Amino acid sequence: MEFTSDDARAHYDAVRDVLDGVVVGLDFDGTLSPVVDDPEAARLHPAAPGALLELAEVVRAVAVITGRPARQAIAMGDLDALGNAMLDRGAELFVFGQYGNERWSATEQRIRSPRPPAGLASFERELPAVLRGAGAAEAFVEEKGLAVAVHTRRMDDPVGAFERLVKPIAALAERHHLTIEPGRNVIEIRSGDMHKGQSLRAFVAEQEATGVIFGGDDLGDVEAFEAVRSLRAEGLPGLVVCSASTEQPDLVRLADVVVDGPAGVVELLSGLAARR
């Protein structure tokens, strides 16, 4: 764990001092789960369930806030079982899928979800022609219900294909009044009405939190990073944790604490849980 400044150490201490009222938001891929070539093969770091279970006993609430569909994240992380274990200890687990558009909790055991955004179906119909035009017809297209993700990680030249696709996909998305979220060799297309920052802010207010922690690793987490910094400026103790990678070095400048991938995230969470 590396603090990015003297102020960062102070932010860590401020959050730790009010830990029983803190809400913790965490991304899934790259934060709780190592990034893998096949997005359908992602699984939680082996030590993550235990760390989350212990952490839930000492904070106000824990939420996984992910771009994945909630149902997918729950299945891949076995989060329903983890949520039930938390309930047995008097704690609660939330999952906010598709950037906060979907909501699940261990108590309710059901997913609340809006209708797909207007324009998404038309976008999907036109997408294959855009992929062919960019020489990336073999890119993996993941349909998420409320969004579409185009993955280049499994291609021979993932970075080159990603760079060729960003502009034409952005143009197609704009024509259909959608927004794109570039990530680690993936371009996500979705409605711009919701993002992780809005989801985190709403969660903080709902839980009447006295502090907030968010951990993430990719460009889709930037709004949540900025939400923590904004809440902190309003007087709420907050901590931004970057699960660092060589693929997204720019996120480090927004963080208070930098850790070495999911293993580092687990270590930080375990250290906080030990405060009990």
Side-chain angles (χ1 to χ4, degrees), residues 128-272:
V130 171
L131 298 181
R132 290 193 299 270
E138 67 274 29
F140 172 59
V141 177
E142 179 186 8
E143 297 183 4
K144 296 185 172 186
L146 300 179
V148 176
V150 179
H151 297 265
T152 65
R153 184 173 293 275
R154 288 186 280 182
M155 298 178 66
D156 292 338
D157 179 16
V159 175
F162 175 87
E163 292 175 348
R164 293 195 305 275
L165 283 171
V166 171
K167 286 186 178 180
I169 286 180
L172 179 61
E174 185 176 2
R175 287 203 299 275
H176 293 287
H177 308 290
L178 301 168
T179 188
I180 71 164
E181 193 75 64
R184 297 194 196 185
N185 294 321
V186 59
I187 305 165
E188 185 143 344
I189 303 92
R190 58 183 175 84
S191 166
D193 295 340
M194 175 63 78
H195 56 66
K196 290 185 182 182
Q198 291 174 321
S199 179
L200 183 62
R201 265 191 168 272
F203 189 53
V204 166
E206 172 194 304
Q207 296 293 318
E208 298 181 347
T210 58
V212 57
I213 297 170
F214 183 81
D217 75 305
D218 211 342
L219 295 178
D221 300 310
V222 168
E223 288 91 349
F225 280 21
E226 291 175 342
V228 173
R229 292 160 67 95
S230 176
L231 288 165
R232 194 162 63 203
E234 297 168 19
L236 191 77
L239 188 72
V240 179
V241 180
C242 177
S243 176
S245 76
T246 57
E247 295 182 359
Q248 296 293 1
D250 290 344
L251 267 68
V252 172
R253 65 181 175 82
L254 297 174
D256 304 308
V257 179
V258 179
V259 299
D260 186 14
V265 171
V266 167
E267 184 178 358
L268 181 144
L269 299 181
S270 296
L272 288 169

